[in-house]
Amino acid sequence: MLQAIFFDLDGTLADDGDTIAAALTQACAVLCRRWPELDVKELAVVYRQVSDTAWEDYDRHLRHLSSPEAMLGSVWSQTLARWDLHDPAVVQEAVETYWHHRLRNCRPYPDAIPMLQQLAGRFQLSLLTNGAPAMQRAKFTAAGLAPFFHQVFVGGEFARGKPDPAIFRAALETAGCRPDQAVHIGDSLAHDIAGARGVGIHSVWLNRRGFKPAGLHLPTFEITDLASLVECLKRISNE
């Protein structure tokens, strides 16, 4: 019988795509006012490249920094270095603008809250997300998800994030249940599904974009929206 349900945050419960694009537009405008020769579209592309590289290897590039602002400042500084541009005051303004708009526009997917309302009170709900603790917790709260959850586990609070077993085992221990009594839902085969499978937790891949799975990290179930999750959980409970 299922007792605990674990969720990923970005791409699963919270829609990061639109908020990143809107915040990036505002921050690029700040920088282009300082350096009119910059092309705003090219600046945004380079920022995304630098950001993806930094966050993909969080432990190497960002873990040592103390705050979301410091992490974002590092990414923006590396971005501007492509043009050999440096101005700490303007970088700070861009960081503040970006982070303000990220939090202000942080929203859950439309199917997230109705699904959580059905599950709250019936199961222990925990969040398992990778990244910087202060940043992820701020986004989680800004999205209005906090009231539904018992615990939050952030990869940056552990030696390694998902798919490392430690964060999943911590969630199991806190929930007081066995691996076969828990299920993890996430959008990443490499981080969410592989990590859950590694400790024997049921896994549900949220495949919103209809990707074709590749590799060995196949989930227990696959769904394309969170409205399908409740029925999926019934099937897992009846196995």
Side-chain angles (χ1 to χ4, degrees):
M1 196 69 177
L2 286 178
Q3 296 184 13
I5 303 176
F6 307 150
F7 288 92
D8 170 54
L9 178 60
D10 300 316
T12 300
L13 296 175
D15 184 357
D16 240 12
D18 289 342
T19 63
I20 290 175
L24 187 53
T25 297
Q26 297 297 324
C28 286
V30 170
L31 297 172
C32 288
R33 284 196 297 270
R34 171 64 176 82
W35 293 290
E37 66 273 20
L38 287 174
D39 179 81
V40 65
K41 292 183 179 179
E42 184 180 6
L43 179 61
V45 168
V46 173
Y47 174 85
R48 285 185 179 272
Q49 292 171 346
V50 173
S51 179
D52 288 347
T53 298
W55 288 106
E56 187 66 27
D57 195 349
Y58 167 81
D59 290 336
R60 177 183 177 187
H61 298 290
L62 299 173
R63 181 186 283 271
H64 64 284
L65 299 172
S66 60
S67 68
E69 291 80 5
M71 295 175 189
L72 292 171
S74 174
V75 173
W76 278 114
S77 293
Q78 292 177 59
T79 299
L80 291 171
R82 299 283 183 93
W83 291 272
D84 197 27
L85 299 175
H86 308 276
D87 188 329
V90 176
V91 167
Q92 182 62 29
E93 184 182 355
V95 166
E96 291 173 356
T97 299
Y98 180 88
W99 189 225
H100 169 76
H101 284 276
R102 282 295 306 278
L103 291 182
R104 189 180 74 174
N105 297 309
C106 195
R107 298 286 186 274
Y109 284 102
D111 55 8
I113 298 298
M115 175 274 303
L116 292 171
Q117 289 172 334
Q118 293 185 67
L119 300 181
R122 297 171 52 198
F123 301 96
Q124 290 198 57
L125 304 184
S126 297
L127 187 81
L128 279 65
T129 177
N130 281 351
M135 182 175 287
Q136 293 304 93
R137 289 177 182 275
K139 288 160 50 182
F140 173 66
T141 301
L145 297 167
F148 299 100
F149 285 82
H150 296 83
Q151 298 289 336
V152 176
F153 300 89
V154 185
E157 296 168 340
F158 295 80
R160 292 182 177 85
K162 299 177 296 183
D164 190 81
I167 189 171
F168 293 95
R169 288 172 179 160
L172 287 171
E173 182 177 356
T174 300
C177 67
R178 303 188 308 268
D180 64 300
Q181 296 174 318
V183 59
H184 178 71
I185 298 95
D187 69 311
S188 170
L189 288 173
H191 295 147
D192 296 301
I193 304 309
R197 283 179 51 127
V199 295
I201 295 173
H202 298 288
S203 59
V204 177
W205 181 34
L206 179 57
N207 185 12
R208 292 186 182 275
R209 299 183 181 181
F211 292 133
K212 298 296 183 183
L216 302 177
H217 307 312
L218 298 180
T220 309
F221 288 100
E222 176 184 341
I223 58 177
T224 57
D225 57 64
L226 290 174
S228 308
L229 181 60
V230 172
E231 184 60 34
C232 185
L233 296 176
K234 291 179 183 177
R235 294 174 63 184
I236 293 175
S237 295
N238 292 332
E239 283 189 336

